[in-house]
Amino acid sequence: MSQEDNQNLGVDLGEFLDFYLLDSQEQIEKLAAGLLQLEKEGNNVGLINDLFRSAHSLKGASGTMGFTSIVALTHSAEDLLDRLRQGKMEVSLPMVDVLLAVTDRVKEMLSQVEKRVEITAEYQDLVDEMRAIMNGETPAPVKETDSNDMKENLTSNYTRVDFQLSLEVAEQVKSSQDMGHGVYQVDIKFAPNTLMRAVRAVMAVQRMENLGKVVKLRPSVEELEVGSEEGFAMLILSDDPPEEIRGEILLVSELAEVEVHPYRIGDAVDGYGSEEVAAAQAAELLPVVEAAPSLPVQPEAKPVQAAPVMPAAPAVTKPAVGNGNNAATDGNNQVHTIRVDTVRMDNLINLVGEMVITRTRLVQIGHELKEQYRMDALVNNLNETTVYLGRLMSDLQESAMRLRMVPIGTVFSRFPRLVRDLARKTQKEMELVLRGEDTELDKTVVEVIGDPLMHLIRNSVDHGIETPEERRAAGKPEVGTITLDAYHEGNHIAILISDDGKGLDLNRIYEKALSRGLVGEREGLSERDIANLIFLPGFSTVDKVTDISGRGVGMDVVKKALNNLGGMIDITTRQGQGTTFTIRLPLTLAIIQALLVEASTEIYAVPLSSVLETLLVERKDIKNVGGLPMVQLRGNTLPLISLRDKFELPAPEAEAEEVFVVVVGLGDKALGLIVDGLRGQQEVVIKSLGDFLNNLPGIAGATILGDGKVTLILDIGSLIQDILVTRKG
C-alpha cells in the first residue's frame, strides 16, 4: 500500500477503502466471468469493450487509492484488451489463460488490502506474459500452483508436532480438512533474549485470528510463561496461502523465524488407524482450488445488496438457457439500491425475532386474562390490540426476512471457472449449465452451501464425466454436460447437481458395503438405498488416488453439512447415463411456523413446512420390521420413530392404546414421529445452541415459547436421513 502518497495528498482514503473493495471485487468478478464467455464466443466486440471498461475502472480506482502494484498489473491487462478492441489481435487460449491468471492475482492483492496489510503478491511474471503475447511471441504457459508441489516444498526439514488433540476436536479439524480447508502447523522461533515470550505467543494467536482459527498451541501459554523455550508451534485452520500466514505472524515483534507446513490431522489421532479409514484418507480432497491458492470466494464476504448484479449467468449458460442480453453490464441501466452491512442486518433480524417472542408472550397473557376475567372490557381491548399487533408483526417479519434472501447465483458464479480449470487438468471436454440463479434463499444457507456444491461438482468432473474417447465409444457427444439447477419446492429450495456421465457402479458399491459388513446378504435394498450408501462415513470404492476428488470419499462430510442446515440429499443414477444429486434446504433459518408436540414431560417444535399430516394410530397396528417400527398408511409402509425413545425420556406408568403420529416429509421421503400429544401451531424464532451443542443429532436449534420456557426444534432432514439411509450402517 502506498500510505505515504495518501498522506502527501492530505487526504485520508481509509474511509473509502470499503467502497473501493466492494467495487473492485465486483469488477474483477465481472472480468473473470466475461473472460470465460470470451473464450466461447471469440471476437465479440461488445464483450471485449465491457472487459476493457472493467479493467480500466479497476486500474483507475486502484490508482486513486495508491495501490501501485494493482495499477501496474491491470494497466498491462488493459493494454492487451485494447489491442483486441482495435482488432490488432485475435482471441487465443494463451491470452485467456493469462488474463484469468491476472484476475486471480488481483483477487490475492485485494485480499491483502482487505486485511490492511502491505501488498506482497508478485505480478511481474504476468506482465511479462502479456507483453510477450502483444509482441507476437509464444509465452510459457501460466504456471499453476500445484498443491502437491506446495506441500513438498513446505514439508521439507520440519518435525511434526503432536498437538495431543481430543478426539472431538480432531474430528472437527478433520471435517474442515475434508471440505478442502487448509490445516497448517506453524513453527515459530523467538528472537534471542526475547522477554515476555507468552505475550508474544498471544499476539501471534491474535494475528492469526485475522486469517483463520487457532486450534492448539504447543507449548501452552502457561508453559511459555514459566519455561525458556526457543519457540512454539500452532495448529491452525485457514484458507489463506502459507506465505500470507507467515507474513501476518512476522508482523509481531521479537519473532525471528516462521515456517508454515501442511498438517494431515488424521495421521496423529488415535482411532483413525483402521485399514478402511486409512484407505479413505489416502484419497481425501486436497485444497479446493488448485489453480490459485489465493482465490478467495468473494460473494459471501460482501454486504448483501437489495438487487445484486449477477455477472456470471450470461457467461456460463447455454444460449437456450440464458436470457441472451447482458443487461447487468449496460451502463445506462440504473439500479437504485443501497449496501447494508451484514452485521446491521443481522441485528435487525434478531430484534424482529425478539419482538415475535414478545408478541407470543402477550398473546399467552391475553388468553390467561380472558379465562379469568371474561367480561372485563379492558381484557377484550387488550386481545383486540394484540391481534392488530400480530398483523403488523407479520408484515414487519416478512419484510425483514426478505432482506436476508439473496440469489443463489452468488454461489453458482464461482463454479464456471472451477469446471473450466478442472476440465483442462483432466483433459476432458465439458460444459457447465446454470439454471435458476435468481432463486432466493436465506443468506445463512447461501454462505454454507458453497462447499458441499463444490465437492459434488468436483466429483462429477473427475469421476462422472468420461474422457472424449470413452464418450465416443458409448455413442455420446464428446462434450459432457454438468447441470446446476435451483428452484422452489413448497417451503424448501431444491438444488440439482446432475451430469450425463457414466453413473454410479451400484454393484461395486453393494459389494464394498457387503465386504465391510455395512449391509447383510439377505437385505433387500433398492437401487436408491444402495446409492445412498456412499454417504456412510469413510465409505469409498475408489482405487485410484486423485488430487481432485474421489466419488464417495468425504460424502459423509457433505451430508453432515446439509443436515446442519436442516436439509437432506438424495441420489438417482443410471448406469452409463449419469447421476443426479438432489439437495433440499429450508428457505430460511430464522423464524418459522412450528407444530408443538409433547413427548413424555418435554415439548418439541416440529417445523410446519415438513409436516404432512397428523394421525391417531392404535398401538396394535404398529409392527416391527427389521428392528424399526412401521405402520400401514393408505397401502404404503410408513417408518416410525418414537421421540420418547429417541431422546431417552421416561415412559409413563401406563401406555395408551392409541398414539399420536406426526407424519413429516422432505422430498419423496416420509417418516412418522410418535408423540404423546399435540399442542398446536406457533410461530417460533430459531436460536442457535452454541458451539458445544450445535451438532446434536436430530436437533436444529431451540426457541422460547409464549410462557418463557425453552424448547428444542427438531431437525427433520437429519431424522429422515438417519432412519432411512444410515441405519444400514
Side-chain angles (χ1 to χ4, degrees):
M1 297 182 189
S2 183
Q3 297 174 345
E4 293 182 2
D5 293 344
N6 292 347
Q7 292 173 355
N8 293 336
L9 289 171
V11 178
D12 180 14
L13 296 179
E15 60 181 300
F16 301 108
L17 189 59
D18 289 338
F19 295 101
Y20 163 77
L21 286 170
L22 285 170
D23 181 68
S24 298
Q25 287 161 358
E26 284 183 4
Q27 294 293 349
I28 204 67
E29 293 292 344
K30 189 185 301 182
L31 189 60
L35 287 169
L36 294 176
Q37 185 176 355
L38 185 67
E39 186 178 33
K40 295 180 179 180
E41 298 182 5
N43 294 311
N44 182 328
V45 178
L47 179 59
I48 294 172
N49 286 332
D50 290 340
L51 295 175
F52 176 83
R53 284 194 293 268
S54 293
H56 181 75
S57 299
L58 188 58
K59 184 192 75 171
S62 302
T64 302
M65 297 298 295
F67 301 133
T68 54
S69 55
I70 300 180
V71 172
L73 184 56
T74 52
H75 179 68
S76 294
E78 183 187 31
D79 287 343
L80 182 55
L81 290 167
D82 191 39
R83 294 283 187 93
L84 278 179
R85 189 172 64 154
Q86 295 176 15
K88 297 180 179 180
M89 300 181 66
E90 297 289 327
V91 176
S92 64
L93 186 59
M95 180 188 298
V96 175
D97 283 340
V98 72
L99 288 174
L100 284 172
V102 168
T103 64
D104 292 341
R105 199 68 56 87
V106 173
K107 286 180 180 180
E108 181 180 350
M109 293 174 171
L110 292 175
S111 178
Q112 292 177 326
V113 171
E114 190 173 13
K115 296 178 175 67
R116 281 30 175 200
V117 298
E118 201 75 22
I119 296 177
T120 58
E122 296 291 335
Y123 61 89
Q124 191 59 45
D125 57 333
L126 296 178
V127 172
D128 293 340
E129 294 271 3
M130 288 183 282
R131 284 177 182 169
I133 292 176
M134 286 186 284
N135 293 333
E137 303 172 7
T138 302
V142 179
K143 187 179 188 310
E144 294 183 349
T145 304
D146 186 78
S147 300
N148 291 326
D149 293 342
M150 181 183 71
K151 288 189 175 187
E152 186 176 341
N153 294 335
L154 291 173
T155 54
S156 58
N157 300 323
Y158 93 102
T159 303
R160 181 186 176 87
V161 173
D162 181 5
F163 287 95
Q164 299 180 3
L165 303 178
S166 66
L167 185 59
E168 180 182 359
V169 173
E171 288 177 347
Q172 292 175 358
V173 176
K174 187 174 183 298
S175 176
S176 297
Q177 178 180 278
D178 289 341
M179 294 299 293
H181 301 298
V183 182
Y184 298 103
Q185 173 183 320
V186 183
D187 295 329
I188 303 170
K189 287 188 178 180
F190 295 114
N193 304 318
T194 298
L195 300 176
M196 303 179 68
R197 300 188 176 195
V199 174
R200 300 300 169 198
V202 171
M203 293 174 67
V205 171
Q206 291 174 341
R207 279 282 177 186
M208 271 312 306
E209 294 295 341
N210 297 326
L211 301 183
K213 177 180 180 181
V214 178
V215 179
K216 193 72 177 288
L217 202 69
R218 294 286 293 175
S220 65
V221 174
E222 293 78 8
E223 292 170 334
L224 289 172
E225 285 182 346
V226 299
S228 57
E229 286 81 0
E230 296 181 355
F232 60 98
M234 290 191 295
L235 180 64
I236 65 168
L237 303 177
S238 176
D239 289 331
D240 289 276
E243 299 79 11
E244 198 162 314
I245 295 172
R246 182 176 181 274
E248 183 76 13
I249 296 177
L250 281 174
L251 294 175
V252 179
S253 60
E254 296 191 274
L255 298 183
E257 296 181 21
V258 177
E259 295 181 357
V260 183
H261 313 284
Y263 194 90
R264 300 299 292 174
I265 189 64
D267 300 336
V269 180
D270 293 337
Y272 290 101
S274 67
E275 179 181 351
E276 294 82 4
V277 180
Q281 288 173 352
E284 281 176 341
L285 292 177
L286 295 176
V288 168
V289 180
E290 291 88 346
S294 60
L295 183 67
V297 178
Q298 294 294 353
E300 290 131 355
K302 298 178 184 177
V304 174
Q305 305 173 45
V309 177
M310 300 300 301
V316 299
T317 53
K318 291 182 178 177
V321 178
N323 54 24
N325 297 319
N326 195 2
T329 60
D330 187 351
N332 296 325
N333 290 345
Q334 296 184 359
V335 181
H336 300 285
T337 63
I338 60 172
R339 292 189 175 99
V340 180
D341 188 272
T342 53
V343 175
R344 294 185 180 182
M345 188 186 66
D346 288 340
N347 287 337
L348 173 63
I349 299 298
N350 288 335
L351 290 174
V352 171
E354 296 299 327
M355 293 177 69
V356 170
I357 293 174
T358 304
R359 182 199 67 185
T360 305
R361 180 65 175 148
L362 283 174
V363 171
Q364 181 81 13
I365 292 174
H367 288 164
E368 293 175 357
L369 287 174
K370 189 172 183 178
E371 290 181 358
Q372 295 186 32
Y373 308 100
R374 292 184 177 275
M375 305 304 296
D376 196 308
L378 286 177
V379 174
N380 292 328
N381 289 338
L382 172 64
N383 287 330
E384 291 176 2
T385 305
T386 303
V387 171
Y388 180 65
L389 175 64
R391 288 198 295 267
L392 292 178
M393 277 301 306
S394 296
D395 293 341
L396 176 61
Q397 172 194 333
E398 182 178 356
S399 299
M401 294 307 300
R402 290 189 65 84
L403 294 178
R404 291 178 63 101
M405 307 298 282
V406 295
I408 198 172
T410 56
V411 178
F412 283 7
S413 62
R414 79 181 71 166
F415 298 130
R417 173 70 186 280
L418 173 71
V419 171
R420 175 199 184 265
D421 291 343
L422 292 179
R424 296 277 304 276
K425 188 167 187 176
T426 57
Q427 297 182 342
K428 298 177 180 179
E429 296 183 17
M430 66 190 73
E431 62 178 339
L432 177 66
V433 178
L434 302 184
R435 298 192 182 103
E437 304 99 311
D438 295 333
T439 305
E440 293 185 337
L441 71 164
D442 193 280
K443 173 182 72 74
T444 307
V445 180
V446 169
E447 291 172 351
V448 179
I449 194 61
D451 278 345
L453 290 181
M454 181 88 70
H455 195 133
L456 294 172
I457 288 176
R458 289 165 66 90
N459 274 281
S460 292
V461 170
D462 196 23
H463 297 287
I465 301 295
E466 311 96 329
T467 63
E469 296 77 15
E470 291 173 333
R471 293 182 67 85
R472 277 198 306 269
K476 295 182 178 181
E478 291 187 10
V479 179
T481 301
I482 299 174
T483 303
L484 191 56
D485 191 8
Y487 55 88
H488 289 293
E489 190 179 76
N491 290 320
H492 291 79
I493 181 174
I495 304 174
L496 273 61
I497 307 95
S498 59
D499 63 67
D500 62 349
K502 55 189 174 185
L504 294 176
D505 189 340
L506 297 181
N507 291 331
R508 191 173 182 188
I509 291 173
Y510 180 75
E511 290 171 1
K512 185 69 174 180
L514 197 62
S515 66
R516 294 185 56 187
L518 300 177
V519 296
E521 293 186 9
R522 297 183 179 180
E523 283 193 62
L525 298 181
S526 66
E527 290 187 353
R528 177 171 293 179
D529 290 334
I530 295 174
N532 279 291
L533 290 173
I534 69 173
F535 292 114
L536 295 177
F539 186 87
S540 174
T541 61
V542 175
D543 294 327
K544 180 181 177 182
V545 176
T546 73
D547 60 352
I548 297 176
S549 68
R551 189 180 287 274
V553 176
M555 285 296 186
D556 62 312
V557 179
V558 173
K559 186 173 80 72
K560 287 178 183 177
L562 297 175
N563 284 347
N564 291 339
L565 292 173
M568 65 178 297
I569 183 170
D570 195 19
I571 308 174
T572 54
T573 185
R574 297 191 66 180
Q575 192 76 30
Q577 298 185 29
T579 302
T580 298
F581 292 89
T582 303
I583 297 173
R584 290 181 175 86
L585 297 165
L587 288 179
T588 180
L589 300 178
I591 303 174
I592 62 171
Q593 295 286 337
L595 174 66
L596 301 182
V597 299
E598 298 176 0
S600 187
T601 57
E602 299 294 330
I603 297 176
Y604 295 95
V606 182
L608 200 62
S609 60
S610 300
V611 176
L612 303 179
E613 60 181 312
T614 58
L615 308 171
L616 195 59
V617 177
E618 293 189 13
R619 195 174 293 276
K620 64 180 182 180
D621 293 334
I622 300 176
K623 309 296 182 182
N624 265 334
V625 180
L628 192 67
M630 301 273 190
V631 69
Q632 287 291 325
L633 179 61
R634 292 186 288 274
N636 295 319
T637 302
L638 178 70
L640 304 176
I641 180 174
S642 169
L643 290 187
R644 193 195 305 159
D645 296 338
K646 172 69 176 177
F647 299 114
E648 299 179 357
L649 301 174
E653 295 182 359
E655 293 280 6
E657 294 183 359
E658 294 181 324
V659 295
F660 289 101
V661 173
V662 179
V663 182
V664 294
L666 201 54
D668 59 350
K669 297 185 182 296
L671 175 69
L673 305 178
I674 301 176
V675 299
D676 295 329
L678 306 177
R679 281 286 191 99
Q681 177 183 338
Q682 183 171 312
E683 199 168 51
V684 299
V685 180
I686 300 179
K687 299 288 187 180
S688 172
L689 294 175
D691 293 337
F692 293 104
L693 301 176
N694 205 29
N695 293 318
L696 288 177
I699 300 298
T703 189
I704 302 175
L705 300 181
D707 56 3
K709 294 181 180 179
V710 175
T711 191
L712 297 176
I713 302 172
L714 299 182
D715 182 355
I716 301 303
S718 173
L719 291 174
I720 293 178
Q721 198 95 46
D722 289 344
I723 291 298
L724 300 184
V725 179
T726 61
R727 78 176 192 271
K728 300 298 180 185

